[in-house]
Amino acid sequence: MTEEQQCPFCAIASGNIPSKVLYEDDAVVAFLDINPANAGHTIIIPKKHYAFLYQVPTEEMVKLFAVAKALSVAVVQAGGAQGMNMIYSMGPAAGQRAPHMMIHLIPRFENDKVVISWDSAPASEENLVNMADKIKSTLRSGGVSTPETIEAPKPEPKPSEPEKQDEEEKPKITWVPPKRVP
Ligand SMILES: [Zn+2]
């Protein structure tokens, strides 16, 4: 079996594994995470199998972010949230567990139990300059390939008994600015 055939998120994209689909088009599907960090926690994926963001063709990425833009309002308003985190994790060291590239939208509430944090400390001017130079020269080299330090997670076996999906009409995304995001 190929990685795509084993990938549960490819199966969600094709409808073989049911999910609570919020939006779908030819390139993108958005659905509720069944293990949400908070109610309304949404996953957005390209329908085709890509392990990492850089592999997704730009026009598919544009569609994916247009969906993220519209859903950023919808998930906040629907759940009465006070904010939202958008999370993309590249590589297991960053918390990537799925073999399929995805974006998480996590609605946030004051004093909820979600923890996204790091300790920040000022960098020296020398370190900033060195790092900026390294990143810019890598960018200029134009090579887009998986860094040797990163490995994509392997697909795990699919769940055997997926729950039944409600047949719902898939809404079309039309961008309407929010009246008020709390
Ligand atoms: Zn996949």
Side-chain angles (χ1 to χ4, degrees):
M1 282 221 288
T2 66
E3 195 138 296
E4 284 90 327
Q5 286 167 331
Q6 286 177 289
C7 174
F9 294 92
C10 286
I12 286 172
S14 65
N16 289 333
I17 291 180
S19 66
K20 299 291 179 274
V21 175
L22 304 173
Y23 173 80
E24 183 173 14
D25 62 28
D26 58 328
V28 177
V29 60
F31 53 94
L32 288 179
D33 193 319
I34 56 170
N35 297 304
N38 273 333
H41 181 165
T42 295
I43 293 174
I44 310 172
I45 59 171
K47 279 193 168 173
K48 286 191 196 149
H49 184 84
Y50 306 104
F52 301 119
L53 180 144
Y54 77 84
Q55 297 168 326
V56 182
T58 300
E59 64 260 40
E60 288 174 49
M61 218 53 229
V62 168
K63 288 182 177 179
L64 202 141
F65 269 90
V67 175
K69 174 179 167 178
L71 279 171
S72 70
V73 174
V75 299
V76 164
Q77 285 195 332
Q82 283 106 39
M84 188 206 76
N85 289 111
M86 180 189 292
I87 298 175
Y88 165 65
S89 304
M90 176 164 161
Q96 181 178 2
R97 291 193 296 271
H100 196 115
M101 184 267 160
M102 65 180 59
I103 289 173
H104 293 263
L105 303 183
I106 302 177
R108 297 299 305 272
F109 302 85
E110 296 289 348
N111 304 315
D112 65 18
K113 297 285 196 311
V114 179
V115 179
I116 299 165
S117 83
W118 56 86
D119 295 326
S120 59
S124 70
E125 176 67 14
E126 188 192 354
N127 284 350
L128 290 173
V129 168
N130 286 345
M131 190 48 76
D133 284 346
K134 277 193 205 170
I135 292 171
K136 286 190 285 184
S137 82
T138 309
L139 265 182
R140 277 194 297 270
S141 74
V144 178
S145 60
T146 309
E148 287 149 21
T149 48
I150 294 186
E151 206 175 306
K154 293 274 170 277
E156 284 170 21
K158 287 177 196 171
S160 49
E161 276 299 321
E163 57 170 306
K164 265 260 174 283
Q165 184 185 23
D166 308 329
E167 267 311 318
E168 280 178 56
E169 207 189 318
K170 313 287 192 303
K172 272 208 154 65
I173 296 276
T174 48
W175 171 246
V176 181
K179 282 199 197 74
R180 184 179 62 90
V181 179

